[in-house]
């Protein structure tokens, strides 16, 4: 049998039991042959590779339920401004990184004025001083704003008389001249040019992403493709790599809900394999609370009367959800605010009322703030909460956390109700939202079980009743995400007959959790990543 392997001396988390057990995993023909206690000596024979896990955790490969695949591919190839504390520091870092860049556009990500010492929006002027001729586009840390220079504004045709698009804002200087910052829907005015990649560039970005994913034990992703100008990425390009045997991560693509659904269905039927599926459609309902664009039931605490922004016409979204449901497509709706979550649930409820339950696995992405009355509706409607625990601590310290200012302390204390959503829905789907955060799963696991920032605050965790157990968060990062992609029968747990997608971690995560050594969980590393029974990464 091909690809035979025996992993032993392992703490096996099979995804079925609540704890890891000392045992082995046997692999053959790209599938899991057997999982059990002991050393699996009966599977040790000629031609079988024996892997000593050295007491580390062996589990199903991570399934990142929310990744912007091509943008995530820039994580190692484009400048990341996440650590910068000022506009000047950000420009200097971009200038230093761009010296050897061959691309026409200078592209970066990760800045946010909310994280700077002086909390004010930047302008084109500082970028123009460093880049008078090359267009520059820098995505902010939450991927809901861009900072550009004059050359980029010129290419996009944005001037003093350009009207704000629906659901977006061109931030302006006194007199109406664009400042160089575009928010929400206005991002698409520039990203349609900056993110216009040919097939070779797309493939290079996917390869970059796959190298990073493999090093983290990630074997499956949901690629949320839509941005404000349309899809980022092309299914036929993904398929080319699939047919060439290049994919070392399973891609579950989620193109634009408001696009051509006939085309989506043709992609679903024409480009379906074990490694590539068009599993969902996706769209934004609202923005993010730090920009006061997440849709809220009550006004923001620091904004006179504002309750957020609709990024697309909600009537169009409502009809598109019902139509996608009728056609058997699963829908993912970006919903950060409690009003947005309620609207998403209303859309799914209406679709089910009109066309029956069907086979769709609808999800709500982010679920940062949910009204108490709406939490039971997840379970009642069979809606999957798709969450990203690392968003709990986008700032380095709890004192810097902007949610306590924008929402007020009482509402902020109800954010990310992970445990409540799990108890209602019966499962979670967990991911990173890369490149908003790194797609390393271990910091997100740490965040879900501790609910503290990197400074260890607040003591005992932020809204500690919503902490997840280690088993709960690992299931969300594996079988929960697989369930949402209609693949729990073949992915997401270590059970005989399933695909041999396996991560071998360098330590016993459950022993660390029992000892309260959560820092050890955050610092964990993947020693071996196996996909389809083949080693795709070895440290």
């Amino acid at each position: 049998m091909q690809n035979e392997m025996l992993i032993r001396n392992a703490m096996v988390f099979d995804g079925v039991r609540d704890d890891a057990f000392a045992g082995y995993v046997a692999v053959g023909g790209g599938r899991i042959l057997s999982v059990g206690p002991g050393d699996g000596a009966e599977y040790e024979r000629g031609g079988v590779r024996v892997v000593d896990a050295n007491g580390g955790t062996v589990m199903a490969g991570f399934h990142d339920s929310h990744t912007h695949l091509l943008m995530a591919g820039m994580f190692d190839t484009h400048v990341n401004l996440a650590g910068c504390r000022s506009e000047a520091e950000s420009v200097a870092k971009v200038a230093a990184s761009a010296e050897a860049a061959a691309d026409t556009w200078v592209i970066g990500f990760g800045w946010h004025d909310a994280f700077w010492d002086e909390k004010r929006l930047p302008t084109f002027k500082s970028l123009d001083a460093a880049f008078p001729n090359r267009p520059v586009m820098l995505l902010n840390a939450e991927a809901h704003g861009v900072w550009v220079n004059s050359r980029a504004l010129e290419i996009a045709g944005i001037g003093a008389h350009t009207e704000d698009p629906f659901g977006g804002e061109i931030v302006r200087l006194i007199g109406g001249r664009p400042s160089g910052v575009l928010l929400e829907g206005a991002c698409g005015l520039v990203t349609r040019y900056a993110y216009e990649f040919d097939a070779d560039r797309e493939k290079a970005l996917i390869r970059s992403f796959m190298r990073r994913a493999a090093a983290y034990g990630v074997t499956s992703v949901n690629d949320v493709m839509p941005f404000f100008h349309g899809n980022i990425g092309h299914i036929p390009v993904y398929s080319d790599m699939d047919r060439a045997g290049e994919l070392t991560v399973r891609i579950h693509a989620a193109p634009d809900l408001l696009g051509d659904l006939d085309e989506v269905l043709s992609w679903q039927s024409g480009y379906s394999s074990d490694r590539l599926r068009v599993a969902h459609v996706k769209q934004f309902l609202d923005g993010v609370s730090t920009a006061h664009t997440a849709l809220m039931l009550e006004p923001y605490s620091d904004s006179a009367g504002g309750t957020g922004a609709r990024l697309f016409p909600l009537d169009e979204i409502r009809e598109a959800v019902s139509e996608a449901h009728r056609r058997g497509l699963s829908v993912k709706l970006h919903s950060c605010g409690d009003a947005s979550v309620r609207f998403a649930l209303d859309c799914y409820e209406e679709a089910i009322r009109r066309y029956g339950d069907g086979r769709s696995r609808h999800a709500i992405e982010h679920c940062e703030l949910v009204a108490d009355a709406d939490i039971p509706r997840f379970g009642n409607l069979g809606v999957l909460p798709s969450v990203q625990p690392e968003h709990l601590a986008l700032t380095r310290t709890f004192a810097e956390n902007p949610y306590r200012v924008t929402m007020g302390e009482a509402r902020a204390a109800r954010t990310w109700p992970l445990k409540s959503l799990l108890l209602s829905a019966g499962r979670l789907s967990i991911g990173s939202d890369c490149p908003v955060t790194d797609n390393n799963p271990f910091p997100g696991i740490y965040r879900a079980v501790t609910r503290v920032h990197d400074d260890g605050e607040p003591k005992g965790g932020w809204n500690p009743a919503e902490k997840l157990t280690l088993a709960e968060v690992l299931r969300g990062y594996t079988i929960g995400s697989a369930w949402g992609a209609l693949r729990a029968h073949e992915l997401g747990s270590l059970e005989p007959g399933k695909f041999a997608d396996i991560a071998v971690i360098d330590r016993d995560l459950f022993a660390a959790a029992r000892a309260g050594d959560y820092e050890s969980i955050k610092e964990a590393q993947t020693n071996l990543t196996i996909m389809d029974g083949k080693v795709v990464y070895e440290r």
Side-chain angles (χ1 to χ4, degrees):
M1 186 172 286
Q2 296 178 339
N3 309 325
E4 288 192 298
M5 183 181 301
L6 172 64
I7 306 168
R8 64 184 180 191
N9 191 18
M11 296 304 299
V12 179
F13 178 65
D14 59 9
V16 179
R17 282 164 270 207
D18 289 332
D19 203 349
F21 61 89
Y24 73 91
V25 179
V27 172
R31 301 272 181 169
I32 295 171
L33 297 178
S34 179
V35 180
D39 62 5
E42 63 269 32
Y43 293 95
E44 185 177 357
R45 51 183 177 265
V48 173
R49 177 181 175 181
V50 177
V51 174
D52 184 350
N54 197 31
T57 304
V58 176
M59 56 177 286
F62 292 106
H63 185 148
D64 190 326
S65 71
H66 192 107
T67 293
H68 303 270
L69 180 58
L70 291 192
M71 289 196 288
M74 300 177 193
F75 216 97
D76 288 329
T77 57
H78 293 66
V79 61
N80 185 345
L81 305 173
C84 295
R85 302 293 293 186
S86 69
E87 178 176 357
E89 183 184 353
S90 299
V91 172
K93 187 169 184 178
V94 175
S97 70
E99 290 176 0
D103 302 315
T104 300
W105 280 82
V106 178
I107 296 173
F109 59 95
W111 69 274
H112 205 313
D113 57 294
F115 306 157
W116 291 347
D117 296 330
E118 186 177 354
K119 299 183 184 343
R120 62 175 177 80
L121 289 172
T123 73
F124 64 84
K125 297 175 184 178
S126 56
L127 289 176
D128 282 2
F131 300 95
N133 301 310
R134 289 181 69 185
V136 181
M137 192 209 74
L138 308 173
L139 189 70
N140 76 2
E142 295 186 312
H144 284 257
V146 297
W147 170 24
V148 300
N149 66 348
S150 293
R151 179 63 181 131
L153 291 169
E154 179 186 350
I155 289 171
I158 301 171
H161 301 292
T162 304
E163 294 185 1
D164 288 348
F166 187 96
E169 179 187 0
I170 301 169
V171 179
R172 301 175 193 273
L173 304 174
I174 296 173
R177 183 178 182 182
S179 72
V181 172
L182 311 171
L183 301 176
E184 304 295 357
C187 297
L189 300 175
V190 171
T191 56
R192 68 175 65 252
Y193 300 100
Y195 289 157
E196 186 178 10
F197 305 133
D198 62 21
D200 288 341
R201 180 76 183 284
E202 281 195 20
K203 290 177 181 180
L205 289 172
I206 294 169
R207 293 184 189 108
S208 173
F209 172 81
M210 290 192 301
R211 286 192 295 271
R212 191 176 190 85
Y216 289 144
V218 176
T219 55
S220 289
V221 297
N222 294 346
D223 175 22
V224 284
M225 300 175 71
F227 204 58
F228 296 108
H229 67 277
N231 292 324
I232 298 180
H234 295 85
I235 304 296
V237 174
Y238 298 2
S239 182
D240 284 347
M241 298 183 72
D242 182 26
R243 291 197 304 270
E246 286 194 68
L247 293 185
T248 58
V249 64
R250 301 186 198 276
I251 300 173
H252 304 89
D256 192 350
L257 167 69
L258 297 179
D260 184 340
L261 295 185
D262 287 335
E263 186 173 42
V264 172
L265 289 171
S266 73
W267 292 335
Q268 190 177 65
S269 61
Y271 300 109
S272 180
S273 75
D274 289 337
R275 299 193 180 198
L276 176 62
R277 302 279 174 92
V278 179
H280 324 82
V281 284
K282 188 258 183 181
Q283 196 44 264
F284 296 93
L285 285 181
D286 64 350
V288 291
S289 69
T290 52
H292 302 91
T293 52
L295 287 169
M296 297 292 185
L297 293 172
E298 301 292 337
Y300 284 94
S301 297
D302 64 339
S303 178
T307 57
R310 302 175 180 186
L311 300 193
F312 292 91
L314 296 187
D315 287 345
E316 290 184 23
I317 295 281
R318 187 189 298 273
E319 285 303 313
V321 168
S322 283
E323 181 61 14
H325 179 82
R326 185 184 72 83
R327 292 170 176 241
L329 292 167
S330 298
V331 179
K332 301 169 82 70
L333 291 175
H334 167 116
S335 302
C336 286
D338 50 4
S340 175
V341 171
R342 178 167 293 178
F343 179 79
L345 290 166
D346 289 346
C347 288
Y348 295 144
E349 185 171 30
E350 180 175 334
I352 293 167
R353 178 183 57 78
R354 290 168 68 175
Y355 300 115
D357 284 344
R359 64 187 297 270
S360 301
R361 298 277 169 86
H362 302 312
I364 298 180
E365 304 296 314
H366 308 308
C367 303
E368 292 188 359
L369 183 65
V370 184
D372 290 343
D374 287 326
I375 287 176
R377 299 178 67 195
F378 281 83
N380 294 339
L381 296 171
V383 172
L384 180 64
S386 176
V387 298
Q388 301 78 41
E390 186 62 357
H391 286 186
L392 272 160
L394 288 179
T395 55
R396 284 180 279 189
T397 68
F398 184 59
E400 294 177 295
N401 191 305
Y403 288 84
R404 303 163 66 199
V405 176
T406 60
M407 295 184 189
E409 293 284 0
R411 272 189 298 183
R414 295 192 292 108
T415 51
W416 292 282
L418 304 182
K419 189 77 163 192
S420 296
L421 289 169
L422 173 62
L423 292 174
S424 172
R427 57 181 59 83
L428 296 175
S429 178
I430 294 180
S432 66
D433 201 8
C434 191
V436 174
T437 68
D438 192 347
N439 61 330
N440 179 355
F442 298 109
I445 296 167
Y446 166 83
R447 212 69 66 189
V449 299
T450 65
R451 295 183 70 95
V452 298
H453 288 59
D454 287 342
D455 61 353
E457 295 293 335
K459 299 301 183 201
W462 188 13
N463 195 3
E466 298 295 346
K467 291 178 183 177
L468 298 177
T469 68
L470 179 60
E472 287 168 346
V473 69
L474 293 183
R475 284 197 188 100
Y477 234 128
T478 53
I479 192 70
S481 297
W483 185 88
L486 293 165
R487 302 195 69 183
H489 62 288
E490 58 186 357
L491 299 174
S493 60
L494 300 181
E495 298 178 84
K498 288 193 172 185
F499 284 111
D501 293 1
I502 301 169
V504 179
I505 315 303
D506 68 347
R507 63 199 68 190
D508 183 345
L509 299 176
F510 285 84
R514 285 192 294 272
D517 185 7
Y518 299 113
E519 291 295 324
S520 177
I521 294 174
K522 185 167 65 172
E523 295 165 1
Q525 294 182 289
T526 300
N527 282 340
L528 195 70
T529 304
I530 300 159
M531 194 259 210
D532 264 348
K534 299 176 182 177
V535 174
V536 296
Y537 171 79
E538 189 163 9
R539 187 162 72 95

